[in-house]
Amino acid sequence: MTQHLTAPAAAQADADATPRADWWRDAVIYQVYPRSFADGNGDGMGDLAGIRSRLPYLRDLGVDAVWLSPFYASPQADAGYDVADYRAIDPMFGTLLDADGLIRDAHALGLRIITDLVPNHSSDQHDWFKRALADGPASPLRARYHFRPGKGESGELPPNDWESVFGGPAWTRTTNPDGTPGDWYLHLFAPEQPDFNWENPAVADEFRSILRFWLDMGVDGFRIDVAHGLVKAEGLPDIGSHDQLKLLGNDVMPFFDQDGVHAIYRAWREILDEYPGERIGVAEAWTPTVERTANYVRPDELHQAFNFQYLGTHWDAEALREVIDTSLAAMRPVDAPATWVLSNHDVTRHATRFANPPGLGTQIRTAGDRELGLRRARAATLLMLALPGSAYVYQGEELGLPDVTDLADEVRQDPSFFRAAGQDGYRDGCRVPIPWTQNGPSYGFGAGGSWLPQPDSWAALSVEAQTGDPTSTLELYRSALAVRRSHPDLGAGTDVTWLPDTAPGVLAFSRGDRGDFVCTANTTAEPVRIKVPGRVLLTSEEVVLEEGELSLPADTTVWWSV
Ligand code: GLC
């Protein structure tokens, strides 16, 4: 008998999931980029009111928590990652009352809220920095940042050879109140983002207070921006290489992943633990190895760290198996869950990464083969959601959105685009506002336009167009998250059991003590014949079963109940 099976075959969401103490160990966390999710007041820019109105969508999608990129008062030199006031909402996003309402509504729907905390640097419009500049070289406030005299005869050269992640020198020279050229200050990112000096006790005090402010507001955790950057090596030593940007991520640098950062997270963990309900900290820590990433999630530090090694792995069975094994092995000794992520607001969306040849990195400027990219993206998502630990979903990936690779230079806003030779530069392509409806201004994003233009082809990718279509990517995500919720073994534990005798290019593993869940993924361009291990739960593409065998199509993942 031949049986045709298409994508969503499965279970209903477990509506009243009971709150669990260790909810974060297998949580699926959805990243909302506030500028681009939903616009409540029709000004073309997303806001808290918009997010609030779409919370039921996220509940129905089946995620456990929502991480919000920064919504604090900010001049927006780096899309809100330049914070002028950590306890205020930028008027463009709403008010503290809106934030309070959003947190309450989310909780009523069973969703947790994680906010973004940016402790490595402030905005140059932060009160401390403005006063430090205005008060001149003798200002004690300068000790809260890294001010240094320049090198050269008249201090005309930067204090050391560090480069900004966004390109250009990591130092900017100040002008004294009397108009003469003054000291330089350090900024690992844009000049509008001066780095805090974490050796200064006022900085540490202030952030402990900010943590409490948001915990008192009811947030369930923090995503910690540039968590690996807070402490700089003593004396700010030169790197001595002109290839710093290439070194990033491969070597320990004097400004990244210094051992001193861990004392900060131990202090923060004590604060998190004072609050009920398991409030968590998630590190954005770019480190050379998953083993060094594990240092951030030791039992008395943070709870999770992003797995950027996984994000950077191409759609290739061997490479994926290796990164899965090393990630799980690195987390086991520290008893932290592994995490998995394919997309976020800083990298080219995975539907576009996988549409291009491997080896291009995570900032890609070509659309590639869209159909292939989407097919692989769907397969990659089913693979990711079958792994033990916590998974991150970036807004719009559930619609199969590609990166917008042809944005005109005039509309771009990414600060690194304007600072040539930076590591990033094309991050606007993954930040284009979400299409909710097939018609209407900005496809239902808001009543007005959208701050970055949406391609016409996005009408067909809208939530409205995909809802109820069993072949759509949105319904695939909904089904996958429903199966994950109802299946006790998915997400739990710390290991996978690789199945023997698997063809090259195919990943096959079982989960759970009884091995009653199996995931098979064909990463090759050709169909592969496999033995049917059980009953099909979900597939990323249509499959055809024949007498106990299956021709597993190219770039396809299948979930099985055994
Ligand atoms: C993090 C953010 C990124 C931002 C940078 C500086 O990497 O994810 O968007 O530009 O930090 O804050």
Side-chain angles (χ1 to χ4, degrees), residues 316-337:
D316 171 82
E318 214 178 305
L320 284 163
R321 182 169 169 160
E322 192 183 329
V323 71
I324 291 168
D325 280 340
T326 50
S327 305
L328 291 169
M331 294 302 145
R332 243 174 251 130
V334 291
D335 191 33

Side-chain angles (χ1 to χ4, degrees), residues 171-247:
W171 296 89
T172 291
R173 192 164 195 188
T174 62
T175 304
N176 290 323
D178 66 5
T180 55
D183 286 345
W184 298 67
Y185 68 89
L186 176 69
H187 51 86
L188 292 182
F189 295 88
E192 297 88 351
Q193 294 167 295
D195 279 52
F196 281 118
N197 173 15
W198 271 86
E199 308 295 333
N200 187 289
V203 173
D205 282 353
E206 173 66 352
F207 272 91
R208 285 195 290 261
S209 159
I210 294 166
L211 279 180
R212 287 184 197 283
F213 178 88
W214 287 102
L215 289 167
D216 291 338
M217 285 277 290
V219 303
D220 301 283
F222 301 94
R223 176 264 188 191
I224 296 144
D225 190 63
V226 195
H228 55 307
L230 277 48
V231 172
K232 278 73 180 175
E234 180 131 17
L236 311 183
D238 277 344
I239 311 223
S241 157
H242 296 292
D243 244 352
Q244 177 190 305
L245 293 171
K246 287 210 182 108
L247 291 173

Side-chain angles (χ1 to χ4, degrees), residues 71-73 85-90 96 213-214:
F71 44 60
Y72 312 105
D85 183 346
Y86 291 84
R87 297 180 187 80
I89 308 292
D90 197 282
L96 269 180
F213 178 88
W214 287 102

Side-chain angles (χ1 to χ4, degrees), residues 42-333:
D43 66 354
M45 183 61 72
D47 49 36
L48 297 185
I51 300 167
R52 207 172 157 186
S53 71
R54 297 290 185 185
L55 287 173
Y57 166 80
L58 297 177
R59 190 262 326 267
D60 295 345
L61 182 61
V63 299
D64 301 293
V66 179
W67 148 36
L68 300 157
S69 280
F71 44 60
Y72 312 105
S74 159
Q76 305 288 321
D78 183 20
Y81 282 95
D82 48 319
V83 180
D85 183 346
Y86 291 84
R87 297 180 187 80
I89 308 292
D90 197 282
M92 147 181 140
F93 293 128
T95 63
L96 269 180
L97 258 183
D98 293 325
D100 180 62
L102 172 61
I103 295 165
R104 283 173 200 277
D105 285 1
H107 286 168
L109 292 169
L111 293 167
R112 289 184 166 83
I113 295 287
I114 293 173
T115 51
D116 218 309
L117 188 72
V118 189
N120 180 67
H121 44 263
S122 69
S123 160
D124 63 348
Q125 297 307 306
H126 189 285
D127 197 43
W128 287 2
F129 192 77
K130 282 200 297 193
R131 280 164 49 206
L133 279 191
D135 294 351
S139 168
L141 286 171
R142 291 202 174 191
R144 297 178 186 186
Y145 295 91
H146 296 280
F147 280 85
R148 293 283 185 284
K151 285 187 176 159
E153 258 171 47
S154 51
E156 73 282 9
L157 299 172
N160 72 16
D161 65 358
W162 297 1
E163 285 170 35
S164 150
V165 173
F166 290 162
W171 296 89
T172 291
R173 192 164 195 188
T174 62
T175 304
N176 290 323
D178 66 5
T180 55
D183 286 345
W184 298 67
Y185 68 89
L186 176 69
H187 51 86
L188 292 182
F189 295 88
E192 297 88 351
Q193 294 167 295
D195 279 52
F196 281 118
N197 173 15
W198 271 86
E199 308 295 333
N200 187 289
V203 173
D205 282 353
E206 173 66 352
F207 272 91
R208 285 195 290 261
S209 159
I210 294 166
L211 279 180
R212 287 184 197 283
F213 178 88
W214 287 102
L215 289 167
D216 291 338
M217 285 277 290
V219 303
D220 301 283
F222 301 94
R223 176 264 188 191
I224 296 144
D225 190 63
V226 195
H228 55 307
L230 277 48
V231 172
K232 278 73 180 175
E234 180 131 17
L236 311 183
D238 277 344
I239 311 223
S241 157
H242 296 292
D243 244 352
Q244 177 190 305
L245 293 171
K246 287 210 182 108
L247 291 173
L248 279 178
N250 296 318
D251 282 333
V252 179
M253 306 295 270
F255 45 79
F256 279 161
D257 199 27
Q258 297 292 305
D259 290 337
V261 293
H262 297 290
I264 298 168
Y265 301 127
R266 282 194 282 274
W268 288 9
R269 179 60 178 258
E270 284 178 19
I271 296 174
L272 292 170
D273 284 350
E274 282 170 25
Y275 286 77
E278 301 262 316
R279 316 287 175 103
I280 68 165
V282 183
E284 186 214 20
W286 293 86
T287 70
T289 62
V290 278
E291 289 76 17
R292 283 202 71 92
T293 303
N295 289 339
Y296 291 75
V297 289
R298 288 178 284 201
D300 59 349
E301 295 194 37
L302 301 172
H303 297 73
Q304 293 186 355
F306 292 110
N307 187 343
F308 293 122
Q309 278 82 7
Y310 186 72
L311 186 149
T313 304
H314 197 67
W315 180 238
D316 171 82
E318 214 178 305
L320 284 163
R321 182 169 169 160
E322 192 183 329
V323 71
I324 291 168
D325 280 340
T326 50
S327 305
L328 291 169
M331 294 302 145
R332 243 174 251 130

